[in-house]
Structures are given as structure tokens and as C-alpha cells.
Amino acid sequence: MEVVYTAIGKISLQRYHDTIYPVICCNGKENQITKKEMILWSILVNTVVTEYQLEILYKKKADKFLVSNEGFLEILQRLETRNLIVKGSGQDWKEAVYNLVKKVYITPIEVNLLFKINAFFYLLFHKKIAFWEAIKIFEKYKLTKEEKYILNLVKQGFICSKKIIEHTLEESFMDTVKKEEKIWKSIKIILNLYERGLINFDIKQT
């Protein structure tokens, strides 16, 4: 049995008097989180990893921030209960990822020019990344026709990933493969857009 996780929602920093604290916004609801929860959640942003990989990454990052790395499973369970992360499980990695992706709603991410400029100088002066390397990071990613199609669907609104997959099954660029391969191709396109920070995962609260 394989289990995979990813983050849900987007983060913002809010100020209360002289204190700045992180807030995760999911489906229009703001959620305050602890430092340990923030460390674990941030690892899962724009990526999908197994529980085993996640525990290793969490302990390394907790040590880096001088935070106790104990209580991993309790923190994981709290975030899942609050719908701040989502889990998929299956007999193998492929099935687990499919079961994860079909749970989420997808929203586009709009990044303004000022944000890009600030991020560029942050890489140069804080991360000490060479100028041309930083330029490469911010080069506009060229979308494939399949990615453009799915991104256009997403831009129509808060949309369930299952509906996106259903739409793509009927498209001409899927005609040469079997249904199971069509579904997996759609999932890989969604994951690619997610990992490149072009879409965000959310979940519909019950």
C-alpha cells in the first residue's frame, strides 16, 4: 500500500499587533497554524510525496529551524483533519496519486510583475544565485497544447479535477491512447502545472 500527500490552499502572512503569523486559506476559510504545522505544510506545496519521503523531509527541515522533529504523525493527522493537506492511497504510487488528484478542486495562480521582481532580487541577494541562473528560473514556461487546454478549463472557475479529466477524455489529443492511459495523461498534465506553480489545489469543505 502506497500513501501520498500534497498541500491544500495558499498561504498569507497576517499581522496582529506586533506579531506576524501564517494563515492558510482553503476554500475561502482562513486557518492559523503552528510552526511545526507550517514546516510540514510548506514541504508539500507544489509537490506530491509519499509518507515515507515526507517524514524524512520534515525531520531535516525541523532540525534546520531548530524545532523538535518529534510528533510527525500527530502533526500530519491534524493537518489532514483540518483539510490543509490531502491524502491519496493505493496499491502503488500511480493509483495513490490518482486517488489524491481526483479529490481536489483546482484554481489558477495569478502572479503579478511586482511579485516576480521581488522574488528575482531575493534569489540574487539572499539566496546568492548567479544572475543568469535566476534569469532562467523566471523564463516564461512554454505550455503544450494539452496544458493550455487544461489551464483554460481551470481559468473558468473553481473546478473539480474529476471534471477536468472527463473533459480531456473527449479531446482529439487523447484519441490515440486507451481510456486508462488518457486518464493518467490528464493527471500528469495537472501535476506538471501544479509543480510549476501555475495552478493551486483546494478542497471543497463539507
Side-chain angles (χ1 to χ4, degrees), residues 94 165 168-169 173-189:
K94 201 170 181 178
I165 293 170
T168 57
L169 292 181
F173 56 76
M174 294 288 193
D175 284 349
T176 58
V177 291
K178 298 177 182 177
K179 183 177 180 181
E180 294 78 12
E181 293 172 338
K182 289 180 181 181
I183 291 172
W184 183 242
K185 185 175 182 179
S186 296
I187 290 170
K188 287 199 294 184
I189 295 168

Side-chain angles (χ1 to χ4, degrees), residues 11 58 151 155 180 205:
I11 190 168
Y58 171 75
L151 199 54
K155 287 179 178 179
E180 294 78 12
Q205 308 287 352

Side-chain angles (χ1 to χ4, degrees), residues 1-5 40 43-44 48-60 72-73 76 87-88 93:
M1 179 67 72
E2 192 75 271
V3 179
V4 295
Y5 291 90
L40 197 153
I43 293 168
L44 292 171
V48 175
V49 298
T50 66
E51 185 174 320
Y52 173 75
Q53 293 170 324
L54 179 58
E55 184 171 10
I56 293 172
L57 292 168
Y58 171 75
K59 288 181 176 179
K60 285 182 179 178
F72 166 76
L73 290 177
L76 188 66
K87 175 176 76 173
W93 184 83

Side-chain angles (χ1 to χ4, degrees), residues 11-13 21-24 33-45 58 61 75 79:
I11 190 168
S12 65
L13 296 177
Y21 57 91
V23 169
I24 308 299
I33 55 175
T34 66
K35 189 172 184 178
K36 285 187 175 183
E37 290 170 343
M38 179 64 219
I39 290 171
L40 197 153
W41 182 89
S42 66
I43 293 168
L44 292 171
V45 174
Y58 171 75
K61 198 164 186 178
I75 298 165
L79 290 174

Side-chain angles (χ1 to χ4, degrees), residues 4-20:
V4 295
Y5 291 90
T6 194
I8 291 295
K10 56 186 178 181
I11 190 168
S12 65
L13 296 177
Q14 297 193 4
R15 181 185 293 274
Y16 182 74
H17 296 307
D18 293 329
T19 304
I20 296 176

Side-chain angles (χ1 to χ4, degrees), residues 38-176:
M38 179 64 219
I39 290 171
L40 197 153
W41 182 89
S42 66
I43 293 168
L44 292 171
V45 174
N46 297 122
T47 192
V48 175
V49 298
T50 66
E51 185 174 320
Y52 173 75
Q53 293 170 324
L54 179 58
E55 184 171 10
I56 293 172
L57 292 168
Y58 171 75
K59 288 181 176 179
K60 285 182 179 178
K61 198 164 186 178
D63 290 342
K64 180 180 178 181
F65 286 95
L66 304 177
V67 173
S68 169
N69 61 30
E70 296 179 357
F72 166 76
L73 290 177
E74 290 83 356
I75 298 165
L76 188 66
Q77 187 174 18
R78 284 203 304 271
L79 290 174
E80 187 181 357
T81 300
R82 297 172 66 192
N83 288 324
L84 300 180
I85 61 174
V86 65
K87 175 176 76 173
S89 57
Q91 293 301 315
D92 54 27
W93 184 83
K94 201 170 181 178
E95 184 180 3
V97 170
Y98 169 72
N99 288 330
L100 180 151
V101 171
K102 72 179 185 180
K103 293 179 182 179
V104 302
Y105 281 69
I106 301 174
T107 56
I109 293 178
E110 300 294 339
V111 180
N112 61 42
L113 181 60
L114 181 60
F115 176 88
K116 288 184 176 181
I117 292 171
N118 288 335
F120 178 77
F121 283 108
Y122 174 79
L123 291 176
L124 282 181
F125 298 111
H126 292 275
K127 291 296 184 179
K128 307 300 182 184
I129 291 177
F131 178 81
W132 290 112
E133 289 299 317
I135 287 289
K136 286 180 182 178
I137 292 172
F138 285 92
E139 282 181 346
K140 189 171 182 180
Y141 173 65
K142 293 181 180 179
L143 296 170
T144 65
K145 63 179 181 180
E146 296 92 343
E147 290 170 336
K148 287 179 181 177
Y149 175 80
I150 288 182
L151 199 54
N152 285 334
L153 283 178
V154 172
K155 287 179 178 179
Q156 293 175 21
F158 191 63
I159 186 168
C160 175
S161 60
K162 288 174 71 174
K163 291 190 179 295
I164 290 177
I165 293 170
E166 288 171 7
H167 277 290
T168 57
L169 292 181
E170 306 302 322
E171 287 303 304
S172 59
F173 56 76
M174 294 288 193
D175 284 349
T176 58

